[in-house]
Amino acid sequence: PVISFDCPTGPREIIRNEVDGILVPAGNLQGLTETMHRLMSDAATRRVLGARGPEVLERFSEDRIMGEWNRMLASLIGG
């Protein structure tokens, strides 16, 4: 599973907190340390979060993203 700081832009768009990764408040080194320790000592949570990882690949696949771009551009040009 992924652990990331919850920066103003980026990680929250990709990571669903406690679903397929964990977001830690930006700059909170103590929170990052605690979260890393939590995952290192909890195999069940690692398995649950890790099992959801492939969903991220699907949500951000090239076909899906290009389809969204095509729909948006078509709506902008009226087609």
Side-chain angles (χ1 to χ4, degrees), residues 8-74:
T9 58
R12 185 168 290 278
E13 304 296 321
I14 300 168
I15 301 165
R16 297 171 295 176
N17 192 41
E18 299 289 341
V19 174
D20 50 32
I22 299 176
L23 294 169
V24 176
N28 183 342
L29 295 178
Q30 181 65 34
L32 178 63
T33 301
E34 291 169 1
T35 301
M36 290 173 73
H37 182 266
R38 173 182 157 207
L39 286 182
M40 286 188 284
S41 62
D42 187 347
T45 299
R46 284 194 314 270
R47 265 192 305 280
V48 168
L49 294 175
R52 303 292 297 267
E55 294 172 18
V56 177
L57 294 175
E58 174 59 31
R59 286 184 11 240
F60 293 96
S61 71
E62 182 179 354
D63 288 341
R64 185 164 184 175
I65 297 301
M66 292 308 294
E68 289 182 24
W69 273 105
N70 288 336
R71 282 187 292 281
M72 182 192 67
L73 293 171

